[in-house]
Amino acid sequence: MHAPIILASTSLYRRQLLAKTGLIFSCQAPEIDETPFAGEDAAALVQRLAREKACAVAQQHDQGWVIGSDQVCVLDGQIVGKPGSHEQAYRQLAQASGQVVTFYTGLCLQDSTSGRQQLLMEPFDVHFRRLTPSQIQHYLQQEQPYDCAGSFKSEGLGICLFERLSGRDPNTLIGLPLMALIDMLANWGLMLPLPVDQLGDA
């Protein structure tokens, strides 16, 4: 029997994504300081925070596989946070109109017993359509994505804002790179949603 799997997050979006795999897991808040270091770029930031989240939760358990993840949105070289208000969301989408927004997602899997880790970062590019003010206002009124970095929900009406998406795994855009996580689990011979012989070519 495998040790328990713990998602070091209380994010509804990450919980829903991980549930798609069929894995049995629990969730725990990591309680860390997420303030970026001076001069820290987005790729380094998300990897550090994913690792710190996994470590913070792993230290509270004698056994278990802990999943830590963090994501930031970058537009015009600047990290874009959650808007928190209609006005700020409008400004974010107006700035993103016709541009490419890159999401950087860090992922860490830690063994609570040994402390060993697997760590990676996955980028995902969102190519926005040119949006009119009325399109932006209509979208925000319909979906109210004020708790989402970048001011959209790609799993909902937000998909209408894009020309195309570029990345390995669309789940990464929502907040958890499931394909990479399955690879990590397989590296350690952990539970998979399908038997190993069904994951290869038929």
Side-chain angles (χ1 to χ4, degrees):
M1 183 176 181
H2 289 306
I5 294 176
I6 306 163
L7 177 62
S9 174
T10 56
S11 164
L12 174 62
Y13 305 112
R14 289 196 177 101
R15 185 163 70 245
Q16 290 174 337
L17 285 172
L18 188 55
K20 287 168 56 174
T21 67
L23 294 170
I24 297 173
F25 65 94
S26 61
C27 298
Q28 184 175 334
E31 304 294 345
I32 67 164
D33 181 358
E34 300 187 28
T35 305
F37 292 156
E40 187 174 36
D41 65 23
L45 172 64
V46 295
Q47 290 182 86
R48 177 176 64 82
L49 293 182
R51 183 174 59 247
E52 289 183 2
K53 289 178 180 180
C55 285
V57 172
Q59 289 172 358
Q60 301 177 48
H61 298 272
D62 294 331
Q63 61 176 350
W65 313 106
V66 181
I67 301 164
S69 186
D70 192 79
Q71 183 184 74
V72 297
C73 169
V74 175
L75 174 60
D76 292 335
Q78 300 296 317
I79 293 177
V80 177
K82 298 176 182 179
S85 70
H86 182 91
E87 293 73 21
Q88 180 61 16
Y90 181 91
R91 284 193 288 270
Q92 287 187 1
L93 290 179
Q95 185 181 4
S97 174
Q99 303 297 315
V100 178
V101 175
T102 301
F103 284 77
Y104 295 88
T105 304
L107 177 66
C108 181
L109 180 65
Q110 179 163 339
D111 178 353
S112 294
T113 303
S114 67
R116 63 178 175 161
Q117 294 180 334
Q118 298 180 65
L119 179 68
L120 60 77
M121 184 279 296
E122 281 211 7
F124 199 99
D125 290 335
V126 177
H127 300 252
F128 272 79
R129 300 179 184 277
R130 293 197 177 277
L131 305 172
T132 66
S134 62
Q135 287 173 329
I136 294 173
Q137 291 287 9
H138 177 76
Y139 170 70
L140 294 176
Q141 289 165 3
Q142 291 294 311
E143 203 148 56
Q144 300 183 13
Y146 307 134
D147 64 341
C148 300
S151 301
F152 64 82
K153 296 180 181 180
S154 62
E155 67 275 27
L157 186 61
I159 199 70
C160 298
L161 306 175
F162 315 144
E163 284 187 343
R164 63 188 175 93
L165 304 174
S166 303
R168 176 192 181 199
D169 181 354
N171 297 291
T172 300
L173 182 56
I174 305 173
L176 191 64
L178 291 183
M179 293 179 185
L181 177 59
I182 290 170
D183 289 342
M184 288 179 169
L185 294 169
N187 288 342
W188 286 351
L190 303 181
M191 291 185 297
L192 295 170
L194 293 173
V196 173
D197 60 1
Q198 293 183 37
L199 290 177
D201 294 334

